[in-house]
Amino acid sequence: QITLKESGPTVVKPTQTLTLTCTFSGFSLSTGGVGVGWIRQPPGKALEWLALIYWDDIERYGPSLKNRLTISKDTSKNQVILTLTNMGPVDTATYFCVRRRHYGDFYFDYWGQGTLVTVSS
Amino acid sequence: QSALTQPASVSGSPGQSITISCTGTSTDVGGYDYVSWYQQHPGTAPKVIIYDVSSRPSGVSNRFSGSKSGNTASLTISGLQAEDEADYFCGSYTTISTAWVFGGGTKVTVL
């Protein structure tokens, strides 16, 4: 059974750095072609793809936030970590962890339930 | 990149068919057959129900079907059931920055 679960702070202050952890099970990020990443959804708005990291350490970032984002992985712990610097009110959103089964698949086959992060002083 | 456009809500009676549209551009929906659809019930993780425009993952009901014409993709739910009441959102791969774009979601209500 494949599961992904997001963890991290529910509230961050403006200008702070957000660090979120995705802990997954049922698959390995050392399997060829696999990627794990993040998607967010501000309240009432569209989903926004943020970043992906692949089994071979290749990182990919969405264009709008790439200067503020870093994605990394700890394969031994089955974790993927996302950091987003200089948080502002517009970064208030539900953040989802997702899996891309293979780089030949252009969709996300498993999602976490999401974690709501609110930016507030 | 801009988000894909979906209607905010669609409703139908049990047994009816409904269709949800997802409009993009030639750089995403219209350019590639990489449209996917996701279903999300409140408090649960989104679940992929259609990928590559019209393919269904194993275990997904054949009451769900997908299609595409030009820059607009569509999800049709046939024989609407109470359990289909959920949020549905579309996604598409785009070669702009080799990224993904998504719609804002459509709330389906079963009357």
Side-chain angles (χ1 to χ4, degrees), chain A residues 19-115:
Chain A
T19 299
L20 293 174
T21 300
C22 172
T23 303
F24 56 87
S25 63
F27 68 98
S28 173
L29 199 38
S30 60
T31 300
V34 174
V36 175
W38 295 88
I39 291 169
R40 73 177 183 180
Q41 185 173 34
K45 296 189 177 181
L47 293 158
E48 178 183 20
W49 173 70
L50 300 178
L52 269 170
I53 189 164
Y54 291 93
W55 65 287
D56 55 0
D57 296 327
I58 298 295
E59 303 166 23
R60 293 286 181 260
Y61 296 96
S64 60
L65 293 176
K66 63 187 305 181
N67 293 333
R68 298 170 51 206
L69 283 169
T70 302
I71 191 169
S72 61
K73 66 184 177 71
D74 186 331
T75 304
S76 65
K77 292 183 179 179
N78 282 350
Q79 290 182 333
V80 168
I81 298 95
L82 183 80
T83 63
L84 179 59
T85 61
N86 193 24
M87 293 285 285
V90 297
D91 298 311
T92 292
T94 296
Y95 288 75
F96 295 96
C97 179
V98 296
R99 185 185 87 149
R100 186 183 185 191
R101 186 179 65 99
H102 190 271
Y103 47 64
D105 294 339
F106 292 87
Y107 62 98
F108 303 100
D109 65 338
Y110 284 93
W111 297 57
Q113 289 194 353
T115 185

Side-chain angles (χ1 to χ4, degrees), chain B residues 90-110:
Chain B
C90 60
S92 176
Y93 185 72
T94 170
T95 56
I96 295 180
S97 301
T98 58
W100 280 265
V101 287
F102 293 92
T106 298
K107 182 175 181 58
V108 168
T109 302
V110 182

Side-chain angles (χ1 to χ4, degrees), chain B residues 11-18 39 41 61-64 77-86 88 108-111:
Chain B
S11 61
S13 299
Q16 285 186 329
S17 293
I18 61 170
Q39 176 194 60
H41 290 103
S61 171
N62 60 8
R63 297 185 299 103
F64 295 96
I77 308 175
S78 305
L80 199 61
Q81 299 180 1
E83 67 202 48
D84 299 332
E85 193 162 282
Y88 295 82
V108 168
T109 302
V110 182
L111 302 172

Side-chain angles (χ1 to χ4, degrees), chain B residues 23-95:
Chain B
T23 301
T25 69
S26 59
T27 58
D28 39 66
V29 174
Y32 308 92
D33 289 337
Y34 295 142
V35 176
S36 50
W37 290 91
Y38 304 86
Q39 176 194 60
Q40 185 181 26
H41 290 103
T44 69
K47 168 189 170 185
V48 61
I49 55 173
I50 295 288
Y51 66 93
D52 294 352
V53 175
S54 59
S55 297
R56 270 190 314 275
S58 174
V60 172
S61 171
N62 60 8
R63 297 185 299 103
F64 295 96
S65 62
S67 63
K68 189 186 83 167
S69 177
N71 295 336
T72 298
S74 299
L75 173 72
T76 298
I77 308 175
S78 305
L80 199 61
Q81 299 180 1
E83 67 202 48
D84 299 332
E85 193 162 282
D87 291 324
Y88 295 82
F89 49 92
C90 60
S92 176
Y93 185 72
T94 170
T95 56

